[in-house]
Amino acid sequence: MTRQYTNQLLEMIENGLLDKDTVINACVNYMSENDVRDMMESNEFLEEEEDEEEEEEEEEDDSVFNMIHRC
């Protein structure tokens, strides 16, 4: 499978028709927060410490959610 639009976008950046920062902002604004996190994890942009902190926050959110629903 060819990546027609991906290749076209990259060529437009390479040829100076689009600014890299503009494309980056458009991409991350279009993506969901989970998509951005997944991309960051896949490319090892997150440090291990940040991953652990986020997991702890999610666990805390889950426990608060469960406490609310028990009442």
Side-chain angles (χ1 to χ4, degrees):
M1 172 173 65
T2 61
R3 300 198 53 171
Q4 177 185 350
Y5 294 103
T6 299
N7 292 333
Q8 182 180 356
L9 182 63
L10 293 173
E11 285 176 19
M12 292 172 78
I13 294 168
E14 190 175 300
N15 293 332
L17 299 173
L18 294 173
D19 176 65
K20 288 180 185 180
D21 290 338
T22 300
V23 173
I24 291 168
N25 282 319
C27 287
V28 297
N29 286 318
Y30 178 81
M31 297 163 64
S32 72
E33 188 67 8
N34 287 335
D35 290 335
V36 174
R37 183 188 71 227
D38 185 53
M39 183 273 300
M40 292 178 71
E41 289 172 350
S42 296
N43 290 283
E44 299 179 355
F45 293 159
L46 289 175
E47 294 182 20
E48 204 170 301
E49 186 176 297
E50 291 175 351
D51 287 340
E52 291 172 4
E53 287 176 8
E54 186 168 302
E55 287 176 12
E56 289 174 6
E57 288 176 6
E58 288 176 2
E59 288 174 5
E60 288 174 9
D61 290 345
D62 288 343
S63 64
V64 169
F65 179 79
N66 289 333
M67 285 180 10
I68 291 171
H69 280 74
R70 284 185 206 154
C71 296

